[in-house]
Amino acid sequence: MVKWQPTSNGMMTVTNGGLAGHSGKDVNLNNITVSFKFPVKPSALILYYGEYGGNINVEINGILENVQDFSDIDGKVIGGVTVTLTSVSGPKGVLNLQGMITSFSIGGQELWIDHICPRK
């Protein structure tokens, strides 16, 4: 079990290294969590990620999961939303969310994200 502990030493940078498994720029989250506000409540969402160490924080509809790896939430229902993963290669994958999403945030250590795509 991962113990949750807040930090004030977080950092977010934009890179062009393809570390999240999609083309173009990606965002590196290092000891930081980002929240997304959508103009309408999506019923699905995909997000490309690259996890290279540390823990992962995923909050969906007010329910927080703090886990060591994305694989720890594969197949779970979080906040009424089904979570599935699709592996891309090595530490890269796609997070798939199915269900009504009223709030969503993600963060961690040595985590890259890209192509956040909510769907109606």
Side-chain angles (χ1 to χ4, degrees):
M1 172 148 188
V2 178
K3 183 179 179 195
W4 181 82
Q5 184 175 5
T7 180
S8 60
N9 296 323
M11 178 178 64
M12 180 175 79
T13 56
V14 176
T15 66
N16 199 18
L19 291 171
H22 201 268
S23 60
K25 298 182 187 226
D26 45 22
V27 176
N28 172 226
L29 306 175
N30 195 357
N31 294 320
I32 194 168
T33 298
V34 293
S35 296
F36 294 89
K37 304 290 182 198
F38 303 111
V40 295
K41 295 175 184 166
S43 60
L45 182 139
I46 65 168
L47 175 145
Y48 281 70
Y49 68 84
E51 62 173 317
Y52 295 89
N55 68 319
I56 306 294
N57 299 303
V58 176
E59 178 272 322
I60 306 168
N61 298 341
I63 305 299
L64 174 66
E65 289 283 337
N66 177 267
V67 296
Q68 192 61 39
D69 299 296
F70 274 105
S71 62
D72 296 331
I73 59 171
D74 190 20
K76 288 186 90 171
V77 175
I78 303 171
V81 174
T82 302
V83 178
T84 56
L85 302 177
T86 304
S87 179
V88 173
S89 69
K92 300 173 189 174
V94 179
L95 176 72
N96 302 282
L97 305 180
Q98 288 287 126
M100 188 60 64
I101 301 165
T102 58
S103 66
F104 174 70
S105 63
I106 189 166
Q109 299 170 310
E110 300 178 43
L111 173 64
W112 276 257
I113 61 172
D114 192 5
H115 193 73
I116 299 98
C117 186
R119 304 199 187 256
K120 283 183 161 186

